[in-house]
Amino acid sequence: MYHDLSGDRITVANDAARLAWNDTLEALLAHAAATPEHLARTLKADPEFALAHAAKGLMLLSLARSELLGSARECLAAAQAAIAVRPVTRREHMVVEALALWLSDAPRQAAHRLESILDEHRFDVLALKLSHGLRFMLGDQNEMLASLRRVAPGFGETHPLTGYVNGCYAFALEEQGFYAEAERAGRRAVALSPRDAWGRHAVAHVLEMTGRTEEGVAWLSDDRNWAHANNLRFHIVWHLALFQLEQGKIAEVLRLYDEDIRREQTDDYRDIANGASLLARLEYAGADVGTRWDELAARAEGRIHDGRLVFADLHYALSLLGAGHTDSAETIACSLVQDGQFHPSGERRDAARNGAMAAFGLIAFRDGDYDEASRLLGAARKGLMTVGGSHAQRDLFEQAYIESLIRSGSHELATQILRERVAQRGGSNFFAAKRLAMLRNRSAGRAAALVVAATPLAIAH
């Protein structure tokens, strides 16, 4: 009988598979680039390890790429065939069931199935991490935090993966606005597990949302802390670029974009989201981004019909609009309208309805129709959590909404939202401060003009 790092029984045939599986678990939690290699070693040592096949399928689905659906189905078939040969534990069977549910367009049920494992196996880091990622993709922030509040405190200092669990806990806390608690958990995470790139990333979110720009730059100053990571390392640099942008260091942001964020010009939706949202923010700041949109649009053209994650679809559309590929962006927006009505997944329908309004809002913004852009982006605003991603990532759509309000002349509403933004970030936000100053100057100029207009001619001259 074999047990994994968390002490749970696993149905493997030999110790080589157990050791490789333990490496897989640690790598998965560390967001290590070597995770697929460790998983491949596991299956090579034991080709009939059902849990490993199911985990692989769930990891493939998390990439939100339509061409990987077939491979994920093969993983499910392999897991079910393995179970027929070698009976597995109920815990392992539930992971296989979660994969089947996600493949059946029921991702929220899949997350619930994974979290149900934690009722009896409170230290099952595989179920914890996979459900955490799935809830993140669904925008289910309440459920993400609820499951971690239930189990994270039970991980003591002696558990080998406590640091990583605290990293997940920190992110869930931050997304619900518990910033002080999130920061404590995140700093504890990286102290216990220096390879915890997700925990370090969670603290960066706290510093971003509380307006602590200089601390953010210092926190992310040493890239050796995440050199082992998969493409999460590009996203961490994206956070560093946001801090630099907040300080007005445009040249440094562009350098980070070229040398780190888009150094590897992949079409992974997370990498494209990093690039597109940063270029849009730079343009809102008045920067010239040159021809950088063209590379992103070329990658996005190949993902137009993916339809796996609305968050991804919106950033593909943003990339296309940046390069002037309006027709392709409209194709995505129209697909979202269709999905909002007819997609078999309720989760996809909800997200697509909000995503469609945001997509057409971005199109209107790019066309210079700021009245329509503010109407559509404003209508999508409260429901955008359903598309997934973090508050920091979705803030791009909030900035586009504010910009459209200003450019359409809705200055009072823009001022109100900008003041709320400053208050939420501890009184410090470059984006808001710059626009509030501009709006005050416009108001002052208009007031002065009115005074002059109302002054008797002889006095005025």
Side-chain angles (χ1 to χ4, degrees):
M1 184 180 296
Y2 297 96
H3 294 81
D4 65 16
L5 268 177
S6 287
D8 287 308
R9 181 184 165 194
I10 49 174
T11 312
V12 290
N14 52 63
D15 202 48
R18 179 187 68 85
L19 292 171
W21 177 246
N22 282 343
D23 288 341
T24 302
L25 289 179
E26 191 277 338
L28 173 66
L29 289 161
H31 286 256
T35 305
E37 175 189 333
H38 294 309
L39 185 55
R41 282 197 302 113
T42 303
L43 287 169
K44 183 177 181 180
D46 184 0
E48 293 177 348
F49 184 19
L51 180 60
H53 285 294
K56 180 180 178 181
L58 288 162
M59 291 179 204
L60 289 173
L61 290 179
S62 73
L63 298 176
R65 299 173 72 90
S66 57
E67 72 271 22
L68 295 179
L69 279 171
S71 298
R73 292 191 184 100
E74 290 173 4
C75 290
L76 176 60
Q80 292 170 334
I83 290 172
V85 173
R86 183 198 307 158
V88 301
T89 66
R90 175 61 182 148
R91 178 183 75 92
E92 293 170 305
H93 208 289
M94 290 173 76
V95 178
V96 179
E97 291 169 352
L99 173 57
L101 284 166
W102 198 350
L103 283 168
S104 299
D105 287 323
R108 192 163 279 120
Q109 290 184 45
H112 180 71
R113 188 62 49 88
L114 290 166
E115 288 156 3
S116 295
I117 295 171
L118 297 170
D119 292 338
E120 295 185 11
H121 301 272
R122 298 174 68 84
F123 300 115
D124 186 346
V125 293
L126 177 70
L128 185 152
K129 185 64 174 177
L130 291 175
S131 69
H132 181 67
L134 190 41
R135 293 294 188 187
F136 176 52
M137 293 176 74
L138 292 168
D140 287 345
Q141 296 177 345
N142 289 332
E143 292 81 359
M144 183 198 297
L145 179 56
S147 64
L148 280 154
R149 275 206 187 280
R150 197 168 76 248
V151 301
F155 280 78
E157 298 289 325
T158 59
H159 193 288
L161 302 174
T162 292
Y164 295 117
V165 172
N166 273 271
C168 293
Y169 192 26
F171 183 76
L173 287 163
E174 180 277 327
E175 287 298 286
Q176 288 289 74
F178 298 105
Y179 297 132
E181 196 177 352
E183 185 172 356
R184 286 195 299 272
R187 290 184 183 276
R188 180 174 183 237
V190 297
L192 291 171
S193 301
R195 278 165 50 88
D196 187 12
W198 189 250
R200 184 168 294 276
H201 153 264
V203 174
H205 271 266
V206 172
L207 300 175
E208 157 74 15
M209 299 306 292
T210 55
R212 294 152 63 190
T213 302
E214 291 185 7
E215 288 182 67
V217 172
W219 179 248
L220 300 180
S221 62
D222 188 352
D223 62 4
R224 290 176 298 180
N225 291 309
W226 58 83
H228 66 280
N230 54 21
N231 62 341
L232 179 62
R233 69 188 188 276
F234 304 135
H235 182 66
I236 291 175
V237 178
W238 176 83
H239 277 281
L240 176 59
L242 292 189
F243 291 129
Q244 300 284 12
L245 183 58
E246 185 73 6
Q247 296 178 338
K249 298 178 180 178
I250 302 297
E252 176 62 11
V253 174
L254 289 171
R255 186 191 69 77
L256 290 172
Y257 182 96
D258 294 334
E259 297 181 11
D260 288 282
I261 295 168
R262 289 302 290 169
R263 181 182 64 200
E264 296 180 20
Q265 297 180 345
T266 78
D267 66 348
D268 185 294
Y269 82 87
R270 295 160 296 188
D271 300 338
I272 286 182
N274 293 334
S277 64
L278 186 56
L279 291 186
R281 285 170 165 87
L282 282 162
E283 288 192 336
Y284 297 159
D288 180 1
V289 302
T291 61
R292 291 176 177 84
W293 282 114
D294 294 338
E295 177 269 319
L296 285 178
R299 302 294 180 273
E301 285 284 358
R303 314 307 314 178
I304 289 174
H305 300 292
D306 260 15
R308 294 297 303 165
L309 184 67
V310 175
F311 177 85
D313 298 331
L314 287 173
H315 285 87
Y316 298 147
L318 181 63
S319 301
L320 293 161
L321 288 170
H325 299 194
T326 305
D327 289 347
S328 295
E330 288 181 350
T331 297
I332 292 176
C334 289
S335 294
L336 290 172
V337 172
Q338 289 292 108
D339 284 353
Q341 295 177 298
F342 305 114
H343 200 277
S345 167
E347 293 90 338
R348 175 76 183 180
R349 289 196 302 274
D350 290 343
R353 283 192 286 269
N354 292 293
M357 289 188 289
F360 278 112
L362 292 173
I363 291 168
F365 188 94
R366 183 58 66 170
D367 287 344
D369 188 349
Y370 301 119
D371 285 326
E372 181 70 354
S374 62
R375 185 183 72 81
L376 289 167
L377 290 168
R381 190 180 180 215
K382 289 186 178 179
L384 269 184
M385 190 181 296
T386 60
V387 310
S390 67
H391 288 303
Q393 289 174 309
R394 291 190 304 273
D395 189 52
L396 178 279
F397 304 103
E398 181 78 351
Q399 291 189 22
Y401 175 51
I402 293 168
E403 282 290 305
S404 64
L405 287 172
I406 293 172
R407 298 183 193 193
S408 66
S410 299
H411 294 170
E412 288 187 11
L413 180 54
T415 298
Q416 175 188 329
I417 294 172
L418 287 165
R419 285 174 176 165
E420 291 171 357
R421 182 184 182 88
V422 171
Q424 289 167 355
R425 286 165 170 76
S428 175
N429 183 244
F430 179 75
F431 175 89
K434 182 177 179 181
R435 282 150 185 80
L436 283 170
M438 176 185 69
L439 290 170
R440 280 194 297 271
N441 289 338
R442 285 184 180 179
S443 297
R446 185 160 52 249
L450 289 171
V451 169
V452 170
T455 303
L457 191 61
I459 299 176
H461 288 276

